[in-house]
Amino acid sequence: MREYATQMEAARKGIVTEELKKVAGKERMTTAELLPLVAEGKVVICANRKHTCIEPEGVGSMLRTKINVNLGVSRDCKDYEIEMRKVMEAVNLGAHAIMDLSSHGDTIPFRRKLTSECPAMIGTVPVYDSVIHYQRDLATLTARDFIDVVRLHAEDGVDFVTLHCG
C-alpha cells in the first residue's frame, strides 16, 4: 500500500516516486534537486492516480513553461469523438495540459474518456460543471453541491482544477 496520498506528501517523507523521477528527467534535474521543491510546494506534480495514462509533468518554480489547451463539449460541439480528436491533436502538437471546459450535456463520459485516453494533465472548472450536473441556476447551488462536484472530478481522475471564488 502507498505510504502517501499526494506527490507533496511523498516528497515531504523523502519518497522519490516514479512520477517525480519522470518529471526530473524531463526537466533535466536530479531527483535530489526536485524533491525539496515538491516538498516545499514550489513545484506541483499534477498526477491523479486515477488518471491511468498520464505522462506526469511538473508545474512551478525553475521548470519549463507548460502549454495548456482549452477544449470541451458545448452546445455548439456536442460530439465527444470530434472533441477527443482535437484533444489528441493538441497533445501531438505539444500540449502538456488539457483544460476541459465542457459546458453542455452529460460531461461525465467525456471527462472519463480524457482521463483514460489522454496522457496530458487534465484540468476542469468545477463551477461550470456544477450548474450542468445539478441542472440548476448557479445562485441556487450550495457549498456542499460545489464540493461534491470537485470530489466527483477528482474521482474521475482530474489532475487539477481552476476555482472561481468571489
Side-chain angles (χ1 to χ4, degrees), residues 43 45 106 121 141 147 149 155-156:
V43 168
I45 298 175
D106 187 358
M121 297 178 285
L141 296 176
I147 294 298
V149 169
E155 289 170 354
D156 284 345

Side-chain angles (χ1 to χ4, degrees), residues 110-121:
F110 183 67
R111 186 169 50 250
R112 289 179 179 167
K113 191 167 182 60
L114 283 171
T115 59
S116 67
E117 297 179 22
C118 179
M121 297 178 285

